[in-house]
Amino acid sequence: KIVDTVDFPIDRLDLSSYVLGPKFKEAPPIYKLFGVSEHTGSTANSGHYTATVRNSRDGKWYRYNDSHVGSTSGEAAVTGGAYLLFYQRVKGSLRWAGMEKQLTMVQQPQLYRQETYKISVEEDADGFREVRKKGRKKTPMDL
């Protein structure tokens, strides 16, 4: 097991230079860390797991170790025991990482043959159909 410390960003992981597809101002590929799973021990099959997590309500960091919880900092999670990192987009959200239109063009090219895109009201670009509320039959309980 490798126990080298990897320095990772806490408040700003900017992946802009690595994104090949379209980028949107409303949801830039910038992320903040909200959790780290940590492992201590000689192998992945044995040892002990803990977690350092940022509370979404108060923004403070907490360390979870079995039944014990204590205050900490995000920087305290940057150790050789950091095992999994959990990031959240800072602003906005995009389906399919911003590639929704491109994926649809590959999956359903017939929808994109014309200059203007016409999508059936019955089925959207992702192949989902609109659910319409149906009336239900009256039962004796309704009378």
Side-chain angles (χ1 to χ4, degrees), residues 2-139:
I2 300 170
V3 292
D4 295 339
T5 299
V6 176
D7 189 22
F8 49 88
I10 306 296
D11 290 311
R12 185 176 170 87
L13 173 62
D14 188 349
L15 299 178
S16 299
S17 61
Y18 302 100
V19 174
L20 299 177
K23 297 175 192 155
F24 301 94
K25 292 184 295 186
E26 301 82 24
I30 299 172
Y31 302 84
K32 70 178 178 181
L33 186 73
F34 73 88
V36 179
S37 176
E38 298 129 358
H39 179 262
T40 54
S42 57
T43 70
N45 295 331
S46 65
H48 184 68
Y49 289 90
T50 58
T52 301
V53 181
R54 184 190 318 227
N55 185 302
S56 63
R57 292 186 180 163
D58 63 18
K60 295 179 182 175
W61 287 90
Y62 297 92
R63 181 164 178 79
Y64 296 85
N65 186 350
D66 292 333
S67 62
H68 298 77
V69 178
S71 296
T72 190
S73 68
E75 290 78 13
V78 182
T79 68
Y83 186 68
L84 291 173
L85 308 177
F86 298 90
Y87 283 89
Q88 177 181 24
R89 191 182 297 262
V90 173
K91 177 182 170 189
S93 65
L94 290 173
R95 291 179 58 199
W96 310 108
M99 298 297 292
E100 183 176 4
K101 182 176 174 183
Q102 287 76 2
L103 289 170
T104 303
M105 289 174 71
V106 171
Q107 292 171 350
Q108 297 178 349
Q110 72 278 6
L111 295 176
Y112 293 90
R113 288 190 185 141
Q114 299 175 352
E115 186 75 25
T116 57
Y117 307 138
K118 293 183 180 179
I119 298 173
S120 168
V121 176
E122 295 294 319
E123 189 170 300
D124 68 7
D126 294 322
F128 293 102
R129 294 186 180 174
E130 181 180 349
V131 177
R132 295 188 180 132
K133 185 176 180 180
K134 294 182 178 180
R136 64 181 183 90
K137 293 180 182 177
K138 289 190 177 189
T139 65

